[in-house]
Amino acid sequence: MPLVSMRQLLDEAAKGAYGVGAFNVNNMEQIQAIMEAARETKSPAIVQASRGARSYSQDRFLYHLMLAATELYPEIPTVLHLDHGNSVETCKSAIGMGFTSVMMDGSLMPDGKTPSTFEYNVKATREVVETAHSKGITVEGEIGCLGGIEDGHGAGLDGLSHLTDPEQAVEFVRETGVDALAIAIGTSHGAYKFTSKPTGETLKMDRLLEIHRRLPNTHLVMHGSSSVPKDLQDIINQYGGKLKPTWGVPIEEIQLGIKNGVRKINVDTDNRLAITGAIRKVFWEKPEEFDPRSYLKPARDAMKKVVAQRMTQFGQAGHAGDYAPISLEAMAKRYQQHLTA
Ligand SMILES: [Zn+2]
């Protein structure tokens, strides 16, 4: 099956009361890890690429690897999503390239660093929604700013300084017509999310519940939601790495989110940790090895294991065959009918 609309995946997830992990990729092994995990757990899949990933893969490599994924895993409904589009132009180029979903992150200016105004965010996001929906493509927006830095993207904020205002979130969804909404509730990009196990003071789940109460029909997105498990940190440090102690978002908090409107959960760091740990282990234990497959294969297996575990924890496992994918043309018609209804 061709790449599918993310809106359909998230609508189905809402019906089934589960969440769908969105995993970042830069290369073939990461795509293979996600697709294998999806097959093993019978999960729908969201594969996402940031601007950095598009540049790293020259865009075309990424797109053709994704076509290979749809050929080799025809039973898996698979989305290719743009993570943190920084401008209307970036989103349009992703749509032109064949992405079936885009994030317009208008919470920051096009430099990807400076917090923007509400008016700018609404205007840029609405423009992307108009273009995308006319082609059946899904749009994720963001209101409030996340902490940390992701692929050079991010204001370097502490995660708590620009939390999502629930009232603004309602207005934003109404004004833009986004399919999914990323919210800032204290999470950050990267490995160093929390300096101790998060509490209600640092991870504002109450804020999420309030947003869901006001926007019960909007698919919420949790960014920066790797759990940064200690065992993955330990493997890296055991084999010569130097990670400082750090805490991520506990799985039980994500599961609470899923009970309260969260349908997409972004995970990147956990996979990076798994890959790096596996490679370090081979280098440490077998310094005579020099065939890249000797370390890339264990790296791919380690990522697959993490992804399969998250797919199970988020509840998407077992749901790949629940529905027939709707074509992008049919999705475009739906959006059109909704507009004129
Ligand atoms: Zn993000």
Side-chain angles (χ1 to χ4, degrees), residues 9 39 57 72 78 131 160 168 228 244 255 271 299 315 322:
L9 250 74
R39 172 166 285 169
S57 66
L72 294 170
T78 304
T131 303
L160 290 172
Q168 252 189 5
V228 200
K244 291 173 281 179
Q255 288 169 335
N271 294 325
D322 287 1

Side-chain angles (χ1 to χ4, degrees), residues 115-132:
S116 69
T117 62
F118 181 75
E119 290 69 28
Y120 165 83
N121 194 355
V122 166
K123 186 169 177 290
T125 306
R126 188 162 50 198
E127 197 179 332
V128 171
V129 167
E130 278 164 15
T131 303

Side-chain angles (χ1 to χ4, degrees), residues 5-322:
S5 143
M6 187 168 83
R7 175 61 190 257
Q8 188 191 6
L9 250 74
L10 301 186
D11 284 348
E12 290 291 336
K15 275 189 230 163
Y18 58 90
V20 184
F23 305 99
N24 288 74
V25 299
N26 304 286
N27 63 24
M28 179 180 79
E29 286 77 7
Q30 291 173 308
I31 294 172
Q32 290 173 323
I34 297 167
M35 298 313 296
E36 276 297 306
R39 172 166 285 169
E40 187 181 280
T41 61
K42 300 185 170 58
S43 296
I46 301 173
V47 177
Q48 62 183 16
S50 65
R51 268 193 301 152
R54 291 179 67 190
S55 150
Y56 180 82
S57 66
Q58 299 157 280
D59 242 356
R60 303 297 298 169
F61 279 111
L62 175 72
Y63 181 64
H64 285 272
L65 287 168
M66 289 307 298
L67 289 188
T70 60
E71 277 176 35
L72 294 170
Y73 301 84
E75 80 281 19
I76 305 296
T78 304
V79 173
L80 177 59
H81 173 78
L82 170 70
D83 193 20
H84 290 286
N86 64 313
S87 67
V88 175
E89 289 66 38
T90 301
C91 292
K92 285 184 177 172
S93 83
I95 292 168
M97 175 62 65
F99 282 70
T100 53
S101 178
V102 295
M103 177 185 190
M104 172 63 221
D105 180 359
S107 74
L108 301 173
M109 297 303 288
D111 68 2
K113 291 185 174 70
T114 314
S116 69
T117 62
F118 181 75
E119 290 69 28
Y120 165 83
N121 194 355
V122 166
K123 186 169 177 290
T125 306
R126 188 162 50 198
E127 197 179 332
V128 171
V129 167
E130 278 164 15
T131 303
H133 282 186
S134 73
K135 297 176 165 65
I137 308 292
T138 310
V139 180
E140 173 183 338
E142 175 170 323
I143 184 86
C145 299
L146 289 141
I149 290 185
E150 180 177 60
D151 277 339
H153 174 102
L157 302 164
D158 65 5
L160 290 172
S161 51
H162 292 72
L163 293 174
T164 303
D165 177 282
E167 207 164 308
Q168 252 189 5
V170 173
E171 201 183 333
F172 183 78
V173 169
R174 193 178 54 224
E175 295 283 313
T176 60
V178 287
D179 300 284
L181 183 67
I183 54 170
I185 53 167
T187 65
S188 299
H189 294 126
Y192 300 100
K193 299 180 191 301
F194 302 103
T195 52
S196 59
K197 189 172 188 231
T199 64
E201 291 305 304
T202 50
L203 179 60
K204 304 278 190 187
M205 293 305 292
D206 54 341
R207 182 73 61 122
L208 186 151
L209 268 54
E210 171 66 13
I211 296 166
H212 176 56
R213 198 179 62 74
R214 297 196 195 200
L215 286 170
N217 299 317
T218 298
H219 303 312
L220 301 180
V221 183
M222 281 176 76
H223 277 241
S225 290
S226 278
S227 299
V228 200
K230 180 138 187 331
D231 58 330
L232 292 181
Q233 299 178 44
D234 287 347
I235 294 173
I236 290 180
N237 288 340
Q238 186 184 342
Y239 298 106
K242 283 188 178 156
L243 292 177
K244 291 173 281 179
T246 176
W247 279 263
V249 182
I251 295 292
E252 58 272 21
E253 301 291 355
I254 296 172
Q255 288 169 335
L256 172 66
I258 292 168
K259 287 199 182 83
N260 291 279
V262 171
R263 297 294 158 235
K264 174 172 179 275
I265 305 101
N266 288 9
V267 173
D268 188 6
T269 295
D270 288 349
N271 294 325
R272 293 178 176 198
L273 293 173
I275 287 170
T276 300
I279 291 177
R280 278 195 170 279
K281 184 168 190 288
V282 174
F283 285 175
W284 187 271
E285 290 179 342
K286 298 179 188 162
E288 71 284 4
E289 275 290 357
F290 61 91
D291 180 342
R293 287 169 300 188
S294 72
Y295 50 89
L296 291 178
K297 196 167 176 298
R300 187 174 64 189
D301 290 345
M303 172 163 164
K304 179 199 150 191
K305 206 174 134 199
V306 173
V307 172
Q309 195 181 23
R310 294 290 174 273
M311 286 172 160
T312 305
Q313 290 162 331
F314 299 161
Q316 74 204 81
H319 289 289
D322 287 1

